[in-house]
Amino acid sequence: MFGFLGNGKSSFINTCKYVWDEGEFINHTGASGDHGGHTLMRIAYPLTKTITLVDNRGCAKLNSFETGELYAQLANLLPLNDQVEWLKGSQLVEKIKQTERYVRASDFIFPVLVHSVKMSLTPEEINIFRRLLPNARDITGIFPIVVLTHKTKGNVAEQEKIFRNLGVERIFSFENYTNRDHIKTRGRHEDVLKFLLEVIKDVQFQIAQTREPERDLLLRKKMLYNLISQQTEEEQRQKLEERKLRQKMGQLRRPGGRGYDNE
């Protein structure tokens, strides 16, 4: 799972486990429901013997710090049940080297973007997803499924349209089960089961292809390092342009400069 702070990732994991386990509702993830984004680690919650739901620290801006580490997670280069630190550049590369012995190359990562319909997307955020989603597909081999939470609290159709325009193939909308609202309904249960079925179908399709886990891990690492390099170059270019702009504005404010008011 990945997405912005407080958009319902932890609650969605609770919902999936509640539907699958068929027992009493348990707040496995400690979800608070106050949109505060309390998860600071990437934590694994087993659903079956072979399927694990992974909660994640929410992103504040999806800037280069956050997307760099997110790409490393999707590439299966960082271990589960570890602190999410939002490192980038050489620091992120060093962390990958230090923790790679704890990663299992055979693990298959399935990307799920969780977004609340209560949170309207700005043009800047849409542009971020326009870059992030194809990169997630290139890394994992799967275009992320989008899960829209709080579906009765906002304009679901508008949010679905935005994500479909970004190339998303499968979108599911949910009202999560919570501590305060966990009366079982057929609709909610079926929606969750349909989501899990689509995930399983995608995984089965992928593993039917020729896979060499160790080789694939090295290819993903190479891809990640290229993305990190591109992000670093883009940041340096932006800083240079900002510095030039500040210098230009400083020149315009000097006596005798263009636009300076001598009166």
Side-chain angles (χ1 to χ4, degrees), residues 166-177:
L166 293 173
V168 177
E169 298 171 347
R170 286 176 298 283
I171 302 171
F172 292 86
S173 55
F174 296 93
E175 195 66 48
N176 284 324
Y177 286 116

Side-chain angles (χ1 to χ4, degrees), residues 210-226:
T210 302
R211 295 184 69 230
E212 297 180 27
E214 297 292 344
R215 179 208 62 184
D216 294 344
L217 187 66
L218 291 175
L219 290 175
R220 290 195 300 270
K221 185 182 294 186
K222 182 178 180 180
M223 187 183 303
L224 175 68
Y225 288 172
N226 286 336

Side-chain angles (χ1 to χ4, degrees), residues 117 148 150-161 173:
V117 300
L148 298 176
H150 307 107
K151 71 175 185 178
T152 62
K153 311 270 191 324
N155 193 331
V156 176
E158 180 183 339
Q159 296 276 1
E160 287 183 350
K161 182 179 179 181
S173 55

